Amino acid sequence: MKIGIIGLGLIGGSLGLDLRNCGHIVYGVSRKETTCQKAIEKGVVDDASININFLSTVDIIFICTPIGLISQTLQQLTSYLKPEVIITDVGSVKTPIVRECEILWHNFVGGHPMAGTAEQGIEAAQTNLFKNAPYVVTPTEKTPKQSIKILEDLAKSLGSKIYTCSPEIHDQAVAWISHLPVMISASLIAACVAEKDKTILQLAQKLASSGFKDTSRVGGGNPELGVMMAQYNKTALLQALRGYRQQLEEITEYINNEQWDALEKLLMITQEKRSPFI
Ligand code: NAP
């Protein structure tokens, strides 16, 4: 297939590498000329340009820009496309994007490959990023069945596991396991660095090991992405944050009241309930 990718960063670049390795021809579009040049040198794309009309001959386009630019990018694209072209996106939030984009283009399929690193930009692109990772496809009643199948087949060829659900259910589920953890992890780092005693803070920084590394990883990632998760998935994220705060208050009470049995019971439950998530 001839595949177009707009936004040659971590996700767009990694998709390009794997799709080319699967034998597809990949054309890229990015904002900066230097990024296009690096993408060609790195083997992410067969060719690249900063002009969106460069993609007028492709069969399917992945929009991999930051969330806030997805529907705007699609708007700029539509006049250059053949009607049968499939457009998909990789945005971490689905409801506002899918609902806007399906009005702009009849052949739009929302998608979310659930893989990433704390890095960003073309330099962070890597092969096999999506292997064994979930790839969520979020069709609506309007999405053409044939286009869903084509996107699912491409995602399977990357080694991803396909999940299908509505954009709304997707956003509520990822609020719990992706967007809430970013905010908790960021709060953890912010609370630690607010320690006023420099000696304690410096020692804590030296002693921080695997536990802190695990729990702080997503709070140390791309700030622009974190803001957009909150902005575009505000309702579901606020609901998750309320649930989390309630839980934290319960734990605080147990400790404050020295209710060690209650704390142990809770920790036994969380120990048992973690495995279905991972
Ligand atoms: P990223 O590494 O910052 O890449 C985004 C790229 O988009 C930038 O490198 C930039 O390239 C390009 N870009 C920005 N504005 C553009 C425009 N107007 N036209 C064309 N290209 C433009 O971010 P990312 O992590 O790949 O995230 C991209 C999308 O993937 C987001 O929608 C995000 O929600 C989704 N996603 C991210 C993750 C994750 O963990 N990071 C996981 C799943 C999905 P230039 O260098 O040319 O400016």
Side-chain angles (χ1 to χ4, degrees):
M1 283 176 101
K2 263 195 197 171
I3 298 176
I5 297 176
I6 307 180
L8 299 170
L10 167 68
I11 300 296
S14 302
L15 269 175
L17 287 169
D18 285 353
L19 289 169
R20 284 192 80 217
N21 284 341
C22 290
H24 301 288
I25 296 169
V26 177
Y27 294 135
V29 166
S30 212
R31 182 175 48 179
K32 296 189 202 131
E33 192 71 68
T34 48
T35 302
C36 294
Q37 211 45 52
K38 271 187 210 148
I40 297 168
E41 284 161 19
K42 219 171 143 47
V44 161
V45 291
D46 290 276
D47 204 355
S49 166
I50 53 167
N51 298 313
I52 217 158
N53 60 7
F54 187 65
L55 302 181
S56 58
T57 61
V58 301
D59 305 303
I60 177 165
I61 295 175
F62 288 78
I63 303 181
C64 304
T65 63
I67 297 170
L69 294 173
I70 293 173
S71 59
Q72 189 181 315
T73 302
L74 175 55
Q75 221 155 6
Q76 291 164 15
L77 250 182
T78 51
S79 57
Y80 301 107
L81 301 179
K82 302 174 280 183
E84 62 274 21
V85 175
I86 300 167
I87 309 219
T88 184
D89 76 306
V90 297
S92 311
V93 179
K94 298 273 49 98
T95 311
I97 292 170
V98 172
R99 297 297 168 190
E100 268 183 52
C101 289
E102 68 180 1
I103 295 170
L104 294 168
W105 191 250
H106 61 286
N107 209 356
F108 180 85
V109 193
H112 181 197
M114 299 210 49
T117 69
E119 310 300 318
Q120 64 191 99
I122 187 68
E123 301 293 359
Q126 57 177 262
T127 54
N128 292 322
L129 182 66
F130 311 102
K131 203 169 181 173
N132 298 321
Y135 200 117
V136 192
V137 180
T138 59
T140 70
E141 57 294 343
K142 291 187 191 155
T143 317
K145 299 268 179 300
Q146 181 60 17
S147 304
I148 300 171
K149 168 93 174 58
I150 291 171
L151 177 62
E152 286 179 350
D153 287 348
L154 277 175
K156 273 183 208 160
S157 73
L158 304 173
S160 298
K161 293 182 218 157
I162 313 299
Y163 295 88
T164 306
C165 65
S166 72
E168 290 77 11
I169 292 290
H170 165 276
D171 288 354
Q172 288 171 44
V174 297
W176 283 116
I177 52 80
S178 176
H179 304 173
L180 177 64
V182 168
M183 303 308 152
I184 294 171
S185 176
S187 303
L188 168 68
I189 300 168
C192 288
V193 296
E195 166 61 56
K196 288 197 177 61
D197 187 321
K198 288 252 170 332
T199 313
I200 295 173
L201 179 59
Q202 282 166 6
L203 183 62
Q205 285 166 337
K206 288 200 180 80
L207 299 182
S209 184
S210 54
F212 192 82
K213 206 170 165 186
D214 289 346
T215 49
S216 66
R217 185 178 68 81
V218 292
N222 180 348
E224 184 186 22
L225 180 57
V227 172
M228 288 194 186
M229 285 170 173
Q231 203 178 341
Y232 288 83
N233 200 19
K234 182 179 161 190
T235 309
L237 177 56
L238 280 176
Q239 194 184 337
L241 277 165
R242 275 192 292 274
Y244 182 73
R245 187 184 293 174
Q246 218 169 18
Q247 199 57 63
L248 207 55
E249 270 162 20
E250 194 178 313
I251 285 190
T252 309
E253 279 301 295
Y254 290 160
I255 298 169
N256 194 37
N257 300 332
E258 302 192 354
Q259 291 171 269
W260 310 127
D261 287 348
L263 182 60
E264 186 181 12
K265 201 169 155 200
L266 176 71
L267 294 177
M268 279 164 71
I269 293 170
T270 57
Q271 184 184 44
E272 185 197 322
K273 300 284 181 191
R274 179 172 180 254
S275 60
F277 287 94
I278 53 163

